[in-house]
Amino acid sequence: MTQALLIINSIIMFLFWLAGIIAVTPAYNQFVQYGESGGVLPSLTQFVIDFRISFAGVPIIWIFVSFGIYQILKNRQADDQLKILLFFCLLSVTIGFSMLIIFGIAAILPYLLIGVAG
């Protein structure tokens, strides 16, 4: 049961990363690939677009963190396991939503002309 939940946490983190990539792709297509912004993008948008594939490291790192948590959980009592597992699930969802929000904000900034020099 514990292994399954940790695997699901890793999958959830991958899905949040994938949703972030999908969120920023229209901005990438319009402003970078087709060059409608004249090459000037908000710094957050430029950062996310430049490193969007590198952010795949977050789900990969999360797999290793999950394995470490599993090793910790093997030697604990059932109620301690539950507390740690619930905290880890909450942490997974919080980091995933944060990543998605950052990607989403980066995606809409060029459309709102926020942070773009006139």
Side-chain angles (χ1 to χ4, degrees):
M1 180 69 174
T2 303
Q3 290 175 332
L5 286 174
L6 292 173
I7 291 170
I8 289 171
N9 273 335
S10 297
I11 292 170
I12 287 171
M13 190 61 72
F14 175 76
L15 292 175
F16 275 121
W17 171 75
L18 189 62
I21 293 294
I22 291 170
V24 82
T25 297
Y28 169 76
N29 287 341
Q30 184 170 357
F31 296 107
V32 176
Q33 190 172 7
Y34 300 120
E36 291 186 15
S37 69
V40 179
L41 288 172
S43 58
L44 179 63
T45 304
Q46 190 65 48
F47 174 76
V48 168
I49 286 175
D50 290 343
F51 294 104
R52 68 187 184 280
I53 303 301
S54 300
F55 280 111
V58 174
I60 292 169
I61 290 171
W62 212 247
I63 291 170
F64 292 112
V65 171
S66 296
F67 181 73
I69 294 293
Y70 177 70
Q71 294 299 323
I72 291 171
L73 290 176
K74 286 194 321 187
N75 302 326
R76 301 289 177 124
Q77 293 180 2
D79 43 332
D80 287 340
Q81 285 181 354
L82 183 62
K83 290 176 188 176
I84 293 170
L85 196 57
L86 286 175
F87 175 73
F88 189 67
C89 291
L90 180 64
L91 189 63
S92 297
V93 171
T94 302
I95 291 173
F97 271 127
S98 299
M99 189 168 51
L100 184 61
I101 288 169
I102 289 170
F103 273 64
I105 289 172
I108 64 170
L109 285 178
Y111 293 106
L112 300 174
L113 300 176
I114 295 175
V116 177

